[in-house]
Every structure is written in C-alpha cells, then in structure tokens.
Amino acid sequence: MEQSSKTLSVGLDNHKESIAVAYAPEDRGAEVVSLGPIGTRQCDIDKLLRHLQAKVARLVLVYEAGPCGYGLYRYLTQKRVTCHVVTPALIPGKPGNRVKTDRRDALTLARLLRSSDLTPIYVPQVQDEAIRDLSRGCNREDR
C-alpha cells in the first residue's frame, strides 16, 4: 500500500475491555470510516498503529478523558504518535442527539478532530497524578 503524505485523524472511544476506532482522511469531503472495536492490550494498539501508518505519514489520535486514565495517551506519545485527550463536556454535539454508542462516539471524535473543533486538555505527569490521588485519598479519610 502506498503511503500518502497527508494526516489521518483518528477517534478512539476508550473503555476497559475495548477501544472503538474510526478515522477521517484529511480531505474535508472524505467519509469518516469506522474500523470497529479493537482490544486494549499494547499488541492490539501496535497492530492498529501499523495498519494506519501504512496509509499515511502522520497520525493524530484523540480520545475522551475518563475513568481509564491517561495510560493510552502516555503509551501513544512514547511511541511518538500525536495524541490528544479531550473532556466530554467540551465536545460539540447536536441538541437532542442523546443516542450514544461507541462507534458513533469514535466517528464523531475523528470528524471533530479533522475539523479542529476539539480542545485538548492538559495531561498531568505521572508524579502530578500520584500527588493528586494521594491528596484526594487524604480528603476522603477526613470525612
């Protein structure tokens, strides 16, 4: 497969057991494609990266901040892949669109990333996160 010099915007809907994947080619008129779910193991993510990097020279991935933490972000950035984390509250949505599925969420993230309509959040360093968790634990014990 010939590698293009364009960027591929990839939306990930991250959960404990699976990650729904969709990508949007750089061309504005191009359809957003759902790749379906993958596993959450590092080998599953590596396989996805190889598959996508065969299509384009540059990948940009995004996922929603949530209870799964920042492990995926740290793994991807360690692999030198651009990754953003966004807060669900700042993801633009249509009023009345209450149906949420993993596939739809991944497609939406990919589409919004391509159009630059997402604002990434600051991802704390591991040490900062540990101190925050420690202080939260202390506050809970005081109650």
Side-chain angles (χ1 to χ4, degrees), residues 5 52 70 72 74-75 86 99 108 110 117 122 129 137 140:
S5 63
L52 295 174
Y70 303 112
L72 179 58
R74 291 185 181 116
Y75 182 72
V86 295
V99 178
T108 300
D117 288 333
Y122 167 74
E129 200 171 9
R140 286 186 195 131

Side-chain angles (χ1 to χ4, degrees), residues 29-99:
E31 287 292 316
V32 181
V33 178
S34 173
L35 289 180
I38 64 167
T40 57
R41 299 174 304 169
Q42 289 180 354
C43 63
D44 299 323
I45 295 164
D46 290 341
K47 182 178 177 182
L48 172 69
L49 292 177
R50 284 191 304 274
H51 174 74
L52 295 174
Q53 287 170 335
K55 295 176 182 282
V56 293
R58 183 169 184 264
L59 295 175
V60 180
L61 287 80
V62 65
Y63 72 94
E64 292 180 6
C68 294
Y70 303 112
L72 179 58
Y73 170 85
R74 291 185 181 116
Y75 182 72
L76 291 169
T77 54
Q78 178 185 356
K79 293 228 165 245
R80 302 201 186 285
V81 175
T82 303
C83 182
H84 302 292
V85 179
V86 295
T87 182
L90 296 179
I91 296 174
K94 296 177 185 174
N97 187 6
R98 294 196 172 104
V99 178

